[in-house]
Amino acid sequence: MMKKMMMIAAMMAATLSANAQNQEAGDMYVKPMVGATLSTITGEHADNAKMKIGLVGGAEFGYHVTNQFALTGGLLVSMQGSKMEDTQLWRDFKTTLTYLNVPIMANYYIVKGLAIKAGIQPGFMLSLKGKGQAMDDFGWKDYESTSTEDAKKFDLSIPMGLSYEFNDFVIDARYNLGLLSINKDSNLKQKNGVIMVTLGYKIPL
């Protein structure tokens, strides 16, 4: 049984390797992509912040400078933020920050189909929603806010990760390291931290 499983695994690996897309210098493509985010907020007064799940979707344009090196630029709508379960002032509180992100990345192919990538990502806040329970003088009460008055509308992060291509499908996993505070208050330095996993499909141009 073990030998059969090893043979099947070897055949699947060989098939994936054989089907990995060949790329050549000058090739261009557009890649619609959709997936999920696992995000949190780091920094001051964020010790109780937990990861929350969101959605991400959009498209990237790619250009192969050489067979092993490509540049990509994209537009991605990304749901980010964090959640707090229990603090003295908040309970079961979720913050959802929705951004239009513009990842600009360099992609280096280690082997056929497998690339490491890194770059820079400007982001523009589209909406903010906070929902949960807040403590006041009379106890716990439901709280909800959509005000962006105290939040910065511009964000900047460093995306870095890996991708693997097979039959024009691309599995992409990256981490977006926030560089700027999301708050206008200079005394409250909190930044985005986002894990993103997507499935895309390359359409040659």
Side-chain angles (χ1 to χ4, degrees), residues 18-186:
N19 288 333
Q21 177 171 331
N22 292 317
Q23 59 273 331
E24 297 181 355
D27 285 353
M28 294 186 293
Y29 64 88
V30 63
K31 182 183 67 176
M33 52 200 294
V34 65
T37 58
L38 190 61
S39 63
T40 190
I41 293 173
T42 62
E44 298 175 3
H45 306 293
D47 294 340
N48 294 314
K50 307 295 183 182
M51 290 280 192
K52 72 178 291 292
I53 297 175
L55 299 174
V56 60
E60 288 186 335
F61 169 82
Y63 174 74
H64 280 277
V65 181
T66 69
N67 291 4
Q68 289 184 293
F69 182 72
L71 296 174
T72 58
L75 291 173
L76 300 175
V77 176
S78 176
M79 295 172 63
Q80 302 170 192
S82 69
K83 63 180 180 180
M84 293 186 181
E85 294 178 355
D86 292 301
T87 68
Q88 291 183 340
L89 299 176
W90 302 103
R91 187 166 66 184
D92 193 25
F93 191 82
K94 293 182 181 180
T95 301
T96 300
L97 310 172
T98 302
Y99 286 91
L100 175 63
N101 288 322
V102 187
I104 302 168
M105 306 185 72
N107 302 255
Y108 180 76
Y109 288 82
I110 307 172
V111 295
K112 185 170 63 175
L114 179 64
I116 57 174
K117 55 186 62 187
I120 196 76
Q121 178 176 273
F124 305 90
M125 183 180 288
L126 301 177
S127 67
L128 183 155
K129 183 177 181 180
K131 186 176 182 180
Q133 289 189 317
M135 172 66 75
D136 64 11
D137 295 337
F138 302 99
W140 293 103
K141 68 175 183 178
D142 291 337
Y143 175 87
E144 185 171 345
S145 174
T146 57
S147 174
T148 60
E149 182 178 350
D150 298 324
K152 290 182 179 178
K153 306 302 186 296
F154 179 76
D155 189 40
L156 188 66
S157 60
I158 296 177
M160 45 194 166
L162 295 167
S163 66
Y164 185 74
E165 304 174 16
F166 57 98
N167 290 339
D168 292 323
F169 286 96
V170 183
I171 297 175
D172 188 300
R174 64 184 73 166
Y175 179 72
N176 299 328
L177 175 66
L179 299 179
L180 302 179
S181 174
I182 62 176
N183 302 292
K184 289 182 179 178
D185 185 351
S186 59

Side-chain angles (χ1 to χ4, degrees), residues 178-197:
L179 299 179
L180 302 179
S181 174
I182 62 176
N183 302 292
K184 289 182 179 178
D185 185 351
S186 59
N187 295 318
L188 187 58
K189 300 185 185 301
Q190 297 179 336
K191 301 175 183 179
N192 285 306
V194 184
I195 298 171
M196 189 180 85
V197 180

